[in-house]
Amino acid sequence: MSVTPTPVSDLRILITGGARGIGGATARLLAADGAHVMIADILDDEGRALAAELGPNAIYRHLDVTDAEDWAAAVAAAEERFGSLNALFNNAGIVSFGGIVDQTPEEFRRIVDINLNGVFLGLHTTAPALKRAGGGVVVNTSSTAGLQGYGGIAGYVASKWGVRGLTKAAALDLAPDNIRVMSLHPGPIRTPMTAAMDDTTVQAQPLPRFGEPDEVARMVRFMLSEASFSTGSEFVTDGGAVTGQVLNMPDTDPA
Ligand code: NAP
């Protein structure tokens, strides 16, 4: 038996945080391949401009991922405009600096609300629409911070581990409806989010550079279209950052 990939041109996808960065690069790549794309964000000017640039297959919608009413309205609008919705890229997220002691409880709640509760609301609201479409696919953006710890970004790490776990739960719950759910784990990528970080951040990686948004977008396209036997799975694109560590060994050459 052969299982053919879903052609990208069959995708009718909602992308949160789609106005710029990784979400914007993914909207560009998918629209160029013929997908119907709803760019959803709170950056209305940038989102509208990108949708206009991408042409009639792309539309912009204001969507704050923490707002259940925004979600319901966006899903209804996507179904009306595209006929159905069969894919979701839960990409919106923020980073906020602060460790266990100096991050305020309010800031911890805020980042978890956007990065984790927003992903739950997206799954919760779109799953019935994906089921109506006969099945679908969801990519949830975690991070290498969902695979290991980092100091100084406690809320971010907690939220991204949560996304990884929620992805497993959703994959199990939604498989009977022919919906695949996967988590995406980028390392440091050159977007506005990492603008304040310099190259020392990536020096210890096997590939010692920042990734480009388009490199992540190509991974997302693969997950949505080609990865037909994957669900609950973790897809890492990080220049080898979580591969391990090269040890400084003493010189053991007997000569
Ligand atoms: P970005 O350029 O800052 O894009 C994120 C987008 O999400 C922005 O347009 C942002 O708007 C929007 N957003 C923020 N809060 C929102 C909300 N409540 N509702 C809807 N949209 C909201 O960041 P990026 O680097 O492309 O990041 C995209 C995703 O990848 C995030 O989940 C991030 O955690 C993850 N990630 C990024 C990296 C990296 O190195 N860049 C690495 C690993 C994972 P505002 O500007 O108004 O906040």
Side-chain angles (χ1 to χ4, degrees), residues 3 7 18 27 52 61 84 91 126-127 140 152 154 164 172 187 205-206 214 216 220 223 226:
V3 178
R61 178 97 197 175
S84 63
N91 162 78
T126 58
N140 293 328
R164 181 179 170 205
L172 292 165
Q205 286 173 194
D214 191 54
V216 184
V220 175
M223 295 164 78
E226 299 276 343

Side-chain angles (χ1 to χ4, degrees), residues 20 22 41 43 63-65 91 141 156 160 186-187 189 191 194:
R20 69 174 198 197
I22 292 168
D41 208 305
L43 293 178
L63 166 60
D64 177 340
V65 294
N91 162 78
T141 303
Y156 190 77
K160 293 302 188 180
I189 308 298
T191 70
T194 56

Side-chain angles (χ1 to χ4, degrees), residues 148-208:
Q148 63 181 18
Y150 288 94
I153 49 170
Y156 190 77
V157 169
S159 67
K160 293 302 188 180
W161 277 77
V163 169
R164 181 179 170 205
L166 183 60
T167 299
K168 313 278 184 219
L172 292 165
D173 285 347
L174 301 179
D177 295 325
N178 191 30
I179 299 169
R180 297 186 297 113
V181 189
M182 293 153 284
S183 57
L184 172 71
H185 300 266
I189 308 298
R190 263 292 166 235
T191 70
M193 181 180 278
T194 56
M197 296 180 190
D198 66 21
D199 285 347
T200 55
T201 313
V202 295
Q203 267 165 11
Q205 286 173 194
L207 306 180

Side-chain angles (χ1 to χ4, degrees), residues 21 24 30 37 42 59 67 69 77-78 92 94 97 114 118 123 125 136 149-150 159 178 211 225 230 235 255:
L30 298 179
V37 180
I42 51 176
I59 51 172
D67 187 319
E69 287 179 9
I94 59 164
F97 296 94
I114 294 170
L123 285 161
T125 316
Y150 288 94
S159 67
N178 191 30
S225 170
S230 297
F235 290 73

Side-chain angles (χ1 to χ4, degrees), residues 13-199:
I13 186 166
L14 190 162
I15 301 178
T16 66
R20 69 174 198 197
I22 292 168
T26 306
R28 277 204 166 80
L29 189 70
L30 298 179
D33 284 351
H36 288 76
V37 180
M38 174 177 276
I39 297 164
D41 208 305
I42 51 176
L43 293 178
D44 295 335
D45 291 344
E46 286 182 57
R48 278 195 198 98
L50 179 58
E53 179 196 321
L54 298 186
N57 281 0
I59 51 172
Y60 175 73
R61 178 97 197 175
H62 180 92
L63 166 60
D64 177 340
V65 294
T66 66
D67 187 319
E69 287 179 9
D70 276 7
W71 269 110
V75 169
E79 285 189 303
E80 188 175 335
R81 173 70 180 257
F82 301 152
S84 63
L85 186 68
N86 62 7
L88 169 66
F89 183 20
N90 266 321
N91 162 78
I94 59 164
V95 70
S96 138
F97 296 94
I100 294 297
V101 174
D102 52 355
Q103 183 147 69
T104 64
E106 294 73 27
E107 185 58 10
F108 186 90
R109 280 194 202 98
R110 187 174 83 92
I111 190 165
V112 170
D113 202 23
I114 294 170
N115 290 5
L116 177 57
N117 297 350
V119 169
F120 167 75
L121 276 180
L123 285 161
H124 177 75
T125 316
T126 58
L130 302 184
K131 186 178 176 183
R132 283 193 288 277
V137 54
V138 181
V139 173
N140 293 328
T141 303
S142 176
S143 165
T144 51
L147 299 169
Q148 63 181 18
Y150 288 94
I153 49 170
Y156 190 77
V157 169
S159 67
K160 293 302 188 180
W161 277 77
V163 169
R164 181 179 170 205
L166 183 60
T167 299
K168 313 278 184 219
L172 292 165
D173 285 347
L174 301 179
D177 295 325
N178 191 30
I179 299 169
R180 297 186 297 113
V181 189
M182 293 153 284
S183 57
L184 172 71
H185 300 266
I189 308 298
R190 263 292 166 235
T191 70
M193 181 180 278
T194 56
M197 296 180 190
D198 66 21
D199 285 347

